[in-house]
């Protein structure tokens, strides 16, 4: 298992958020996973990381809806697009590895901290969550910035979805977001690149099929789960754990 304790400086403007395992991640077990620091610094399959960014974006939409309803703040503007303001860690590994955000958005509405410091801190820790992925060696290198922009640019569209409702009433909005994500991945997969090997291109083609197979029903359910996490209190309980 890779486990090196060198560090990579994070951007000075970012605040350090707490390292809290994503609620959908595998639960750590010392018997199964060994040293906890090594477990936290494990390197993820970059292709799984890409598909996770689509799924968790819808989860994030449900979380924002729940927070807005809990606090009576406007859902649109609860977070802003732009560069990440929070990060839970550097990769803790060599420079070829990168601590990559799952959801990459900018600032949180300051009034949330006044309305509910608990939900503010939970949201900060959620959007600061990262996964370690290979920085240069994976075939998806270069698409991360496009996904960052997708997540920031579509916050208003995401806010149109009522995750307390039914999919039938808003399927066009959900499908529209999914189509945008698929298109940006498709453009990357099909773009001419003389540096790709045939093996790399085959991997891209296979993973493109996997992204296409992420159905609207599954993604909408992910949003509903995010909404229920907040409304049940489990979001605040989990993401403010010390």
């Amino acid at each position: 298992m890779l486990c090196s304790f060198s560090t990579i400086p994070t951007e000075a403007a970012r605040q350090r958020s707490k390292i809290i395992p994503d609620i959908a991640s595998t639960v750590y077990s010392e018997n199964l996973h060994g040293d906890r620091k090594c477990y936290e610094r494990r390197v993820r399959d970059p292709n799984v990381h890409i598909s996770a960014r689509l799924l968790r974006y819808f989860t994030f939409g449900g979380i924002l809806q729940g927070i807005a309803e809990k606090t009576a703040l406007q859902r649109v503007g609860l977070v802003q697009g732009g560069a990440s303001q929070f990060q839970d860690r550097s990769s803790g590994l060599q420079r070829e590895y990168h601590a990559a955000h799952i959801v990459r958005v900018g600032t949180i509405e300051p009034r949330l901290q006044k309305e509910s410091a608990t939900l503010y801190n939970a949201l900060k820790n959620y959007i600061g969550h990262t996964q370690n992925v290979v920085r240069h060696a994976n075939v998806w290198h270069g698409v991360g910035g496009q996904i960052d922009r997708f997540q920031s640019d579509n916050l208003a569209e995401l806010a149109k979805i009522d995750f307390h409702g039914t999919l039938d009433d808003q399927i066009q909005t959900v499908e529209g977001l999914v189509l945008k994500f698929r298109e940006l991945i498709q453009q990357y997969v099909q773009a001419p690149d003389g540096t790709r090997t045939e093996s790399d291109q085959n991997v891209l083609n296979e993973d493109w099929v996997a992204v296409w197979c992420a159905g609207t029903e599954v993604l909408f359910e992910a949003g509903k789960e995010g909404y229920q996490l907040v409304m049940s209190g489990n979001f605040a309980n989990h993401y403010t754990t010390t």
Side-chain angles (χ1 to χ4, degrees):
M1 176 182 292
L2 285 168
C3 187
S4 169
F5 298 103
S6 62
T7 59
I8 300 172
T10 56
E11 295 178 25
R14 288 183 187 164
Q15 297 181 40
R16 181 59 62 92
S17 55
K18 291 182 180 178
I19 299 176
I20 297 177
D22 190 275
I23 202 164
S25 296
T26 303
V27 177
Y28 167 76
S29 165
E30 185 174 359
N31 290 334
L32 290 175
H33 304 117
D35 182 82
R36 189 179 189 95
K37 286 186 177 180
C38 285
Y39 175 75
E40 289 175 348
R41 292 172 176 175
R42 67 198 185 281
V43 177
R44 308 299 183 92
D45 181 337
N47 309 309
V48 174
H49 173 77
I50 294 296
S51 60
R53 294 196 66 178
L54 176 60
L55 185 70
R56 302 292 173 81
Y57 191 60
F58 279 85
T59 304
F60 182 58
I63 288 169
L64 292 181
Q65 180 179 348
I67 291 174
E69 291 184 13
K70 283 264 191 178
T71 61
L73 292 173
Q74 291 293 318
R75 186 174 167 190
V76 176
L78 194 54
V79 295
Q80 298 293 326
S84 299
Q85 302 298 304
F86 309 103
Q87 184 165 335
D88 56 3
R89 59 189 153 188
S90 60
S91 73
L93 299 170
Q94 300 95 336
R95 290 189 176 274
E96 61 264 33
Y97 301 98
H98 175 59
H101 287 85
I102 301 294
V103 175
R104 185 159 181 151
V105 292
T107 57
I108 301 173
E109 166 59 58
R111 288 179 297 166
L112 177 58
Q113 192 167 21
K114 297 178 181 178
E115 291 286 335
S116 173
T118 299
L119 284 173
Y120 176 88
N121 288 327
L123 184 59
K124 178 180 74 174
N125 291 329
Y126 184 84
I127 64 180
H129 178 69
T130 59
Q131 290 181 345
N132 284 344
V133 295
V134 179
R135 183 190 292 267
H136 295 299
N138 75 77
V139 295
W140 284 109
H141 177 62
V143 78
Q146 297 176 51
I147 298 176
D148 292 346
R149 287 188 290 275
F150 168 86
Q151 291 185 332
S152 284
D153 292 348
N154 288 285
L155 287 169
E157 195 69 13
L158 185 65
K160 294 178 182 179
I161 304 170
D162 177 12
F163 291 107
H164 188 51
T166 63
L167 176 59
D168 291 343
D169 296 334
Q170 49 207 334
I171 192 167
Q172 288 185 334
T173 305
V174 176
E175 287 181 340
L177 281 173
V178 175
L179 182 60
K180 285 182 183 180
F181 188 87
R182 287 173 176 169
E183 285 177 345
L184 76 85
I185 299 297
Q186 182 178 28
Q187 289 170 6
Y188 181 78
V189 171
Q190 296 180 346
D193 187 340
T195 66
R196 288 180 193 158
T197 65
E198 182 178 354
S199 175
D200 283 349
Q201 189 62 50
N202 288 338
V203 170
L204 285 172
N205 292 338
E206 290 171 4
D207 293 329
W208 157 237
V209 172
V211 169
W212 186 266
C213 288
T216 53
E217 294 85 358
V218 171
L219 296 169
F220 185 73
E221 283 301 315
K224 290 181 77 70
E225 289 173 6
Y227 175 78
Q228 290 298 331
L229 271 176
V230 176
M231 301 308 288
S232 67
N234 289 335
F235 177 73
N237 291 339
H238 181 81
Y239 285 99
T240 54
T241 301
T242 56

